[in-house]
């Protein structure tokens, strides 16, 4: 399949296109756009996090896990990435591995059990 359409335009154009695809629940198309963005600007967390979310929602859980771990290597206090990684691991039947990430996400967001 020709992915040239997904790589056209400026970085800002592609970011906007990826967000539109995501909002339209076209997660696989969003991932195609975002893959190029992540390669182009690997230090930016927002495209990588949206890519992970796109993979998660399109049931590409291994790819989602890889992207989330990459986000957390760069920013261990990114609470949403902790939460998403926990949920991704749970969805793969890996509850034991998920628990620390879910606890960390709760702690980072201030959502302590009362």
């Amino acid at each position: 399949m020709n992915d040239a359409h997904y790589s056209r335009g400026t970085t800002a154009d592609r970011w906007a296109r990826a967000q539109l695809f995501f909002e339209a629940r076209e997660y696989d198309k969003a991932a195609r756009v975002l893959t190029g963005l992540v390669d182009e600007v690997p230090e930016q967390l927002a495209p990588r996090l949206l890519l992970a979310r796109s993979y998660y929602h399109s049931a590409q859980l291994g790819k989602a896990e890889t992207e989330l771990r990459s986000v957390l290597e760069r920013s261990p206090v990114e609470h949403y990435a902790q939460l998403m990684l926990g949920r991704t691991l749970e969805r793969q039947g890996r509850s034991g591995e998920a628990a620390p990430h879910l606890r960390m996400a709760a702690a980072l967001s201030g959502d302590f059990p009362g």
Side-chain angles (χ1 to χ4, degrees):
M1 176 178 257
N2 184 353
D3 286 346
H5 169 72
Y6 299 106
S7 61
R8 267 191 218 132
T10 66
T11 302
D13 292 338
R14 288 179 285 139
W15 173 243
R17 188 178 314 123
Q19 290 177 309
L20 288 173
F21 280 136
F22 187 87
E23 290 168 9
R25 297 182 182 192
E26 297 278 349
Y27 303 118
D28 57 332
K29 290 178 182 176
R32 286 184 183 156
V33 175
L34 290 162
T35 299
L37 285 175
V38 165
D39 289 344
E40 187 176 314
V41 287
E43 70 283 357
Q44 295 289 319
L45 295 183
R48 193 174 293 276
L49 193 53
L50 190 59
L51 177 57
R53 292 176 64 200
S54 296
Y55 284 146
Y56 178 86
H57 288 297
S58 61
Q60 298 179 65
L61 302 177
K63 289 181 177 183
E65 179 182 349
T66 298
E67 292 304 324
L68 291 164
R69 290 189 186 280
S70 183
V71 168
L72 291 171
E73 283 176 14
R74 290 168 171 78
S75 180
V77 295
E78 174 55 58
H79 85 276
Y80 191 70
Q82 291 282 358
L83 176 65
M84 283 288 303
L85 181 55
R87 289 187 177 168
T88 299
L89 293 169
E90 280 183 330
R91 199 166 162 195
Q92 294 178 73
R94 297 161 57 191
S95 298
E97 291 177 65
H101 296 286
L102 295 173
R103 283 192 304 273
M104 179 66 77
L108 290 169
S109 69
D111 186 20
F112 297 105

